[in-house]
Amino acid sequence: MRTGLTKQEKTTDIWFDEKDPLIHIRTHNTNLKKRLAAYAEQYPDECYQTDTDHETGCMEFDIAKGRFSFRLTAPYNEQRRRAASEAAKANASNLTRSVV
Protein backbone atom coordinates (compact mmCIF):
# COMPACT_ATOMS: atom_id res chain seq x y z
CA MET A 1 0.00 0.00 0.00
CA ARG A 2 1.35 3.40 -0.95
CA THR A 3 0.81 5.79 1.92
CA GLY A 4 3.24 8.58 1.26
CA LEU A 5 5.00 7.76 4.54
CA THR A 6 8.67 6.93 4.77
CA LYS A 7 9.78 3.74 6.48
CA GLN A 8 10.94 5.86 9.39
CA GLU A 9 7.43 7.29 9.73
CA LYS A 10 5.81 3.83 9.70
CA THR A 11 6.08 3.14 13.40
CA THR A 12 4.71 0.69 15.93
CA ASP A 13 3.70 2.17 19.26
CA ILE A 14 2.96 -0.07 22.23
CA TRP A 15 1.87 1.60 25.41
CA PHE A 16 0.40 0.61 28.74
CA ASP A 17 0.42 1.63 32.35
CA GLU A 18 0.22 -0.32 35.59
CA LYS A 19 -3.45 0.55 36.16
CA ASP A 20 -5.09 -0.23 32.82
CA PRO A 21 -5.64 -3.95 32.10
CA LEU A 22 -5.11 -3.35 28.36
CA ILE A 23 -2.10 -2.81 26.12
CA HIS A 24 -2.70 -0.33 23.29
CA ILE A 25 -0.92 -1.07 20.03
CA ARG A 26 -0.77 1.28 17.04
CA THR A 27 1.14 -0.10 14.06
CA HIS A 28 1.91 0.21 10.37
CA ASN A 29 3.69 -3.18 10.34
CA THR A 30 1.81 -5.45 7.95
CA ASN A 31 2.76 -8.71 9.63
CA LEU A 32 1.81 -7.46 13.09
CA LYS A 33 -1.49 -6.04 11.78
CA LYS A 34 -2.39 -9.40 10.23
CA ARG A 35 -1.44 -11.33 13.37
CA LEU A 36 -3.39 -9.00 15.66
CA ALA A 37 -6.43 -9.00 13.36
CA ALA A 38 -6.47 -12.81 13.24
CA TYR A 39 -6.07 -12.99 17.02
CA ALA A 40 -8.86 -10.43 17.51
CA GLU A 41 -11.15 -12.46 15.27
CA GLN A 42 -10.41 -15.67 17.15
CA TYR A 43 -10.45 -14.15 20.67
CA PRO A 44 -12.70 -11.06 20.64
CA ASP A 45 -12.89 -10.95 24.45
CA GLU A 46 -9.09 -10.63 24.69
CA CYS A 47 -8.24 -8.40 21.73
CA TYR A 48 -10.12 -6.01 19.47
CA GLN A 49 -9.39 -3.49 16.78
CA THR A 50 -10.12 0.07 17.85
CA ASP A 51 -9.22 2.14 14.78
CA THR A 52 -8.02 2.02 11.17
CA ASP A 53 -6.47 4.84 9.17
CA HIS A 54 -6.95 3.89 5.54
CA GLU A 55 -4.83 6.81 4.31
CA THR A 56 -1.69 5.76 6.19
CA GLY A 57 -2.36 2.03 6.57
CA CYS A 58 -2.20 2.26 10.36
CA MET A 59 -4.29 0.03 12.62
CA GLU A 60 -4.89 0.20 16.36
CA PHE A 61 -5.71 -2.62 18.74
CA ASP A 62 -6.35 -3.13 22.44
CA ILE A 63 -5.25 -6.46 23.91
CA ALA A 64 -5.39 -7.85 27.42
CA LYS A 65 -2.05 -7.50 29.23
CA GLY A 66 -1.67 -11.22 29.85
CA ARG A 67 -1.99 -11.99 26.13
CA PHE A 68 0.88 -9.93 24.72
CA SER A 69 4.53 -10.57 25.43
CA PHE A 70 7.99 -9.34 24.56
CA ARG A 71 10.70 -11.89 24.00
CA LEU A 72 14.29 -10.97 24.73
CA THR A 73 16.91 -13.28 23.28
CA ALA A 74 20.55 -13.43 24.21
CA PRO A 75 23.01 -12.93 21.36
CA TYR A 76 24.79 -16.05 20.07
CA ASN A 77 28.43 -16.40 20.96
CA GLU A 78 30.75 -17.76 18.27
CA GLN A 79 30.64 -21.33 19.62
CA ARG A 80 26.82 -21.38 19.70
CA ARG A 81 26.67 -19.84 16.22
CA ARG A 82 29.02 -22.53 14.84
CA ALA A 83 27.01 -25.33 16.51
CA ALA A 84 23.74 -23.95 15.08
CA SER A 85 25.30 -23.67 11.63
CA GLU A 86 26.56 -27.27 11.74
CA ALA A 87 23.18 -28.54 12.94
CA ALA A 88 21.42 -26.67 10.14
CA LYS A 89 23.81 -28.09 7.53
CA ALA A 90 23.35 -31.61 8.90
CA ASN A 91 19.55 -31.31 8.72
CA ALA A 92 19.35 -29.39 5.44
CA SER A 93 18.09 -32.42 3.53
CA ASN A 94 15.15 -32.71 5.96
CA LEU A 95 14.04 -29.17 5.16
CA THR A 96 13.06 -29.69 1.53
CA ARG A 97 9.36 -29.87 0.77
CA SER A 98 7.68 -31.29 -2.26
CA VAL A 99 5.54 -28.84 -4.21
CA VAL A 100 2.16 -30.17 -5.23
Side-chain angles (χ1 to χ4, degrees):
M1 165 188 269
R2 289 257 181 223
T3 62
L5 299 176
T6 65
K7 285 193 175 210
Q8 187 173 2
E9 293 170 320
K10 293 180 181 180
T11 61
T12 296
D13 300 318
I14 302 168
W15 66 97
F16 54 92
D17 57 38
E18 297 302 318
K19 182 181 176 190
D20 194 352
L22 297 174
I23 294 175
H24 309 283
I25 302 169
R26 181 179 187 276
T27 187
H28 291 89
N29 182 281
T30 302
N31 185 40
L32 183 56
K33 289 188 297 189
K34 287 179 182 179
R35 291 174 61 198
L36 285 167
Y39 190 87
E41 186 176 319
Q42 189 171 4
Y43 304 103
D45 293 338
E46 302 291 331
C47 179
Y48 51 92
Q49 185 176 340
T50 59
D51 196 15
T52 301
D53 185 340
H54 296 289
E55 289 182 23
T56 65
C58 181
M59 293 173 79
E60 295 184 27
F61 294 87
D62 282 351
I63 187 168
K65 273 188 183 169
R67 302 292 154 232
F68 190 82
S69 69
F70 299 91
R71 185 179 69 165
L72 301 174
T73 57
Y76 280 16
N77 61 30
E78 189 56 40
Q79 180 182 3
R80 186 174 176 195
R81 189 181 340 256
R82 239 182 282 116
S85 175
E86 292 302 320
K89 289 174 187 173
N91 292 311
S93 63
N94 297 335
L95 299 177
T96 58
R97 292 185 282 177
S98 61
V99 178
V100 179

